[in-house]
Amino acid sequence: MARMARAAGTKMIVATPHNGDVVHPPELLFELTVHFNAALRHHGIDLTVVVGAENLHNLGSDLLSHYCINDNPYLLIEFPHTHIPQKASDVVYDLVCRGLKPIIAHPERNPTILRNPELIEDFVAQGAYIQITAASLAGGSGRAVKSCSHHLLKQGLVHFMASDGHSSTRRPPVLTDGVKIATKLIGQQATKLLVDDNPRKVIFGEDL
């Protein structure tokens, strides 16, 4: 996967193991990231991996604060794949009040958002950021998800586009197709923000 990502032009990538039913010790994730970067250097792969996690929204702000990306204020949260919980806004509000910057992962694949995409505007107004999956733009998750991701992108409600890579075959860590489609929809400069400028600011803890 690392070789695929680098061959596609990626220079830095965030490791985002799932935190939900199983919660990984943050010290372990940091240690594994250090070891993996050493392995990348050993094999001559010019890629840097920074620590992060994809966190289930209901873990609580105290626990979630330990899983920020690269020890910066930004953190990745996800809602259940079946719906947006009624208290989702409360979760976002609590995180923002603590000085954290929640990034909502792949909302375009959530059935509640598919029915009511305007809900994304409320999350953004609260201070959340939105990350869509590159494969969604190309229809990898179906027509409805493709339509929703295009809509959110054209409405200016997307801050990041990620691979959400799971393996070398199932959703590989490659952004190429998504970048091409996004460029047609919103232009080259706006697309660059999603895959280059904004992610770099997250990794280094800068304001968007």
Side-chain angles (χ1 to χ4, degrees), residues 55-85:
N55 306 285
L56 197 59
H57 76 287
N58 62 358
L59 296 179
S61 57
D62 288 336
L63 182 58
L64 287 171
S65 66
H66 294 288
Y67 294 95
C68 292
I69 296 172
N70 204 29
D71 199 27
N72 286 316
Y74 297 91
L75 77 159
L76 200 63
I77 62 171
E78 67 172 345
F79 297 118
H81 297 294
T82 54
H83 67 290
I84 298 292

Side-chain angles (χ1 to χ4, degrees), residues 93-195:
Y93 178 78
D94 188 34
L95 291 170
V96 171
C97 285
R98 289 178 64 97
L100 300 174
K101 299 180 178 183
I103 301 171
I104 300 174
H106 49 71
E108 78 281 2
R109 294 175 0 218
N110 189 286
T112 303
I113 300 301
L114 290 176
R115 292 191 298 269
N116 301 289
E118 66 275 4
L119 292 175
I120 293 297
E121 296 181 25
D122 297 332
F123 287 125
V124 172
Q126 282 187 291
Y129 299 94
I130 304 301
Q131 175 178 290
I132 63 171
T133 303
S136 295
L137 291 172
S141 296
R143 291 183 179 180
V145 173
K146 177 181 177 179
S147 177
C148 183
S149 62
H150 284 215
H151 171 75
L152 296 177
L153 203 58
K154 289 187 286 188
Q155 293 298 312
L157 295 171
V158 178
H159 304 91
F160 312 98
M161 181 169 60
S163 68
D164 195 11
H166 277 60
S167 75
S168 59
T169 54
R170 176 175 174 260
R171 205 181 300 139
V174 175
L175 297 172
T176 309
D177 290 343
V179 168
K180 290 179 181 177
I181 296 170
T183 300
K184 291 180 180 179
L185 293 173
I186 61 174
Q188 184 175 8
Q189 187 58 40
T191 300
K192 184 175 181 292
L193 288 175
L194 305 183
V195 298

Side-chain angles (χ1 to χ4, degrees), residues 2-19:
R3 287 191 175 95
M4 290 180 70
R6 188 64 192 94
T10 298
K11 296 180 179 179
M12 300 187 75
I13 195 167
V14 180
T16 55
H18 290 272
N19 266 337

